[in-house]
């Protein structure tokens, strides 16, 4: 009876290790997401800012945060609408006005050693065929992009990094994957989605160890009984 209790205790001690193997895989991405506003509701943009061509009177937003994918991405904060943001920018022939909401996120989402600036709004008055990226560049320089044209920084924030993978506690992960390609912030969750379709290697390995060691312990008890 004592030996069987020992086996059960041994297996119970392994369960936290097994659980930890699965939890260690949880991660998100630190990046700028791109949003469009319809009335008072924000919706995740379906194309990147370099492809989006807003109309006069549109409101668009950017939010810096850590998220796993578009489904849990944080929305820009603030309720100011076009009439408020562009109140001091009169209409002009041959141009359009785009209201931009730029939310630099929270300290918890900031890279190590950096502090997010206060959020801001801006009215970009640009050519009628201008993209959102061009509108943003006219009011929030410097912008920074990576080699895949992914938007990495607005108004110089953050100073470094671009769509890096981070653990759920916001700390940098050892992974080197980056979020998104082809200049669309909206695809930032794709690498996580592709890698999360099945059980993690650590989870499977942990389960195998528990099964093997557990079976060996039970065999020892039966052999000595």
């Amino acid at each position: 009876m004592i030996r069987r209790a020992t086996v059960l205790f041994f297996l119970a001690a392994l369960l936290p290790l097994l659980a930890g193997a699965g939890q260690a895989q949880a991660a998100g991405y630190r990046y700028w997401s791109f949003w469009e506003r319809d009335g008072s509701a924000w919706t995740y943009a379906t194309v990147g800012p370099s492809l989006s061509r807003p109309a006069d009177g549109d409101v668009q937003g950017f939010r810096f945060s850590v998220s796993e994918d578009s489904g849990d991405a944080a929305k820009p904060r603030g309720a100011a609408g076009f009439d408020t943001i562009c109140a001091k920018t009169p209409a002009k022939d041959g141009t359009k006005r785009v209201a931009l909401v730029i939310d630099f996120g929270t300290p918890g989402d900031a890279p190590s050693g950096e502090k997010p600036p206060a959020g801001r709004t801006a009215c970009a008055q640009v050519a009628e065929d201008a993209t959102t990226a061009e509108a943003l560049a006219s009011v929030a320089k410097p912008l920074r992009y990576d080699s895949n044209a992914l938007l990495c920084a607005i108004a110089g924030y953050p100073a470094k990094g671009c769509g890096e993978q981070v653990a759920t506690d916001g700390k940098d992960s050892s992974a080197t994957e980056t979020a998104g390609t082809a200049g669309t912030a909206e695809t930032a969750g794709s690498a996580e989605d592709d890698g999360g379709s099945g059980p993690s290697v650590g989870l499977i390995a942990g389960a195998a160890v528990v099964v093997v060691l557990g079976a060996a312990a039970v065999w020892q008890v039966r052999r000595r009984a």
Side-chain angles (χ1 to χ4, degrees):
M1 193 68 180
I2 295 177
R3 288 171 180 169
R4 295 194 180 203
T6 301
V7 171
L8 292 175
F9 175 80
F10 177 71
L11 293 176
L14 287 174
L15 290 179
L17 298 178
L18 176 59
Q23 293 173 356
Q25 301 303 313
Y29 294 89
R30 181 185 285 122
Y31 70 102
W32 280 101
S33 56
F34 173 40
W35 301 79
E36 298 173 336
R37 194 155 72 186
D38 183 7
S40 60
W42 287 107
T43 58
Y44 205 84
T46 57
V47 297
S50 62
L51 298 177
S52 171
R53 295 186 184 276
D56 182 75
D58 282 353
V59 180
Q60 298 187 314
F62 293 86
R63 172 70 187 264
F64 188 76
S65 67
V66 174
S67 61
E68 292 185 33
D69 52 41
S70 61
D72 75 341
K75 299 176 181 180
R77 294 167 292 181
F82 177 82
D83 291 340
T84 300
I85 297 173
C86 290
K88 297 182 179 180
T89 306
K92 183 179 179 180
D93 290 343
T95 68
K96 62 184 176 184
R97 294 168 298 166
V98 181
L100 297 174
V101 178
I102 305 171
D103 187 337
F104 294 88
T106 67
D109 289 329
S112 178
E114 296 200 53
K115 181 179 179 181
R120 67 174 76 168
T121 61
C123 185
Q125 191 163 42
V126 291
E128 292 178 331
D129 63 346
T131 64
T132 300
E134 292 171 325
L136 183 65
S138 72
V139 297
K141 289 181 178 179
L143 304 182
R144 177 166 57 84
Y145 293 87
D146 72 358
S147 59
N148 293 314
L150 177 69
L151 179 62
C152 304
I154 296 176
Y157 181 82
K160 60 182 179 180
C162 191
E164 64 271 21
Q165 190 178 43
V166 297
T168 51
D169 60 4
K171 296 179 180 179
D172 290 349
S173 168
S174 59
T176 57
E177 294 179 76
T178 56
T181 57
T184 59
E186 311 66 74
T187 61
S190 61
E192 176 70 8
D193 294 340
D194 292 344
S197 58
S200 67
V201 173
L203 183 61
I204 295 173
V209 169
V210 170
V211 171
V212 172
L213 293 181
V218 172
W219 179 80
Q220 286 288 346
V221 169
R222 290 178 176 176
R223 187 175 66 86
R224 294 174 184 177

